[in-house]
Amino acid sequence: MNHLLLLAAIVLILCILMNRIAAKLPIPSLLMFIALGMCFGENGFLRIPFNDYEMSEAVCSISLIFVMFYGGFGTNLKTARPVMARSFLLSTAGVVVTALLTGGAAHYLLGLGWQEGLLIGAVIASTDAASVFNVLRSKKLSLKNHTDSMLELESGSNDPISYMLTILMISLISGEEIFVPAMLAKQIIFGIVCGLLIGKAAVYIMDNIDFRMKQGRTVFVFAIVIAGYALASLIGGNGYLSVYLCGIFMGNGFIEDKKDMVRFFDIVTEIAQMVIFFLLGLLVTPAELPEVFLPALAVCLFMTFIGRPAAVFLVLRPFGASMAQIGLVSWAGLRGVASIVFSIYVVLADIPMTYNLFNLVFVIVLLSLAGQGTLLPAVAGKLKMIDKNANVLRTFNDYQEESEIAFIKIKVTPDHPFAGKKLKDVVMPPGFLAVLVFRGDLSITPNGGTRLYSGDLIVCAAPAFEDRENLTLHEVSIGKNHRWRDKMIRELDQSSGVLIIMVKRGENILIPNGETKIYRDDVLVLRR
């Protein structure tokens, strides 16, 4: 037991440390977690024998629940509304067309039976939300014509269709007597009803009940996610569709502490993705992959250059989409964790296959992530689909609209250039808006005619700085023998790129300038 706990801790630590490194690499970071799992696996450095498909399926399915929920929770319907119909068709009809074309290709290219070929097509028909979100966010890829919103909405909602097609083909091949229309209707209707009702009930409860517990709402939502999947699955509905719709309903409603929930589920989803890809890397046996490499390459090439583009063209062209947009959406059809999880379902169902389906799909996913994922920014640039004036994070409902505004205070001193002037005569930087003036015990809502006086405290709204990847802050305490003690800031050697942003002196916070003198016991906040 202790050995397993230690191993789990080491893996999580390595994944978290690698995540920072992976963000700077041109390849999708998820590939590194797969590689780490393979290093731990049977043919890796540690040679850990692991072939427990049942446990892998359980862990991956549970993790996928939170990935699906957060995909819905982060879907900004306001931004996605112009492309909602197209996204819906891509995630339904597009998946079906892709599955049929890929199944046919597997039949003719690999010499498989029709049912076996269509099963492969069903398993890998959907694009992967985790992979698409990962590339768009990590590369800050803002796309023209709401294409980023379309990809987000499509990838977040098409897994349920692929899941239903997979279950359908498993049932047909295993000889179960099923009525296909009734099965599909039950999966879709019960999934939709459960998702919307549970989401609505959750929002109502959070609006009307005081939880009297710090972060109680976040814990409540965590439980709701599990309930949304489990209830729908128990009554024969599609659990993934349920949690996705539940996430959409809750994410686009007003909920207190929503930012806390975003931070929590952002972390949960990140960890879930790490765990999934590490576990799948651990489960695979690299020595067995060469025998399925050529078949996987053939299927992957067909999907990338024929199957997916044909499905996207049939869906988007009637809406007047440009060929550049069709080309980019086609290329952005990344395969990922959902396809591998669905392949595990097939393995556990003991469906006889010509090739090891798990290994086949694993290689297809690797090729898709390594090829399409790595080249997606370059393809977007080549097709002139990058919108340099947009912020891709606004396509995600992670409340950037709220966090983009910061409040700044300006103290008007007797010699301040604002003193004695009307607000309309004050020159402020673009994007600044005076929203409140404190004058003694009075609070004034200002307008252009408001005159500013010495002693006023102006509160301004301004765009906040959110991209902190290249801004690292450090604290330096000034001790008795520190070389900066009793010097003015202008006297310091700051040629190395060090900038003193703030001085903490006792209970006071100072914004320094060149004449600010540094004393013993000061704490300096530096930007290196």
Side-chain angles (χ1 to χ4, degrees), residues 28 48 109-110 124 171 206 308 332 363 380 492 497:
I48 298 175
L109 295 176
L110 306 182
I124 58 175
S171 300
M206 286 188 285
R308 166 80 174 174
V363 174
L492 306 181

Side-chain angles (χ1 to χ4, degrees), residues 201-222:
V203 172
Y204 177 82
I205 291 171
M206 286 188 285
D207 284 346
N208 292 277
I209 292 180
D210 183 0
F211 284 75
R212 296 186 180 278
M213 172 184 172
K214 190 175 182 180
Q215 303 300 338
R217 285 184 172 82
T218 303
V219 177
F220 176 76
V221 173
F222 183 85

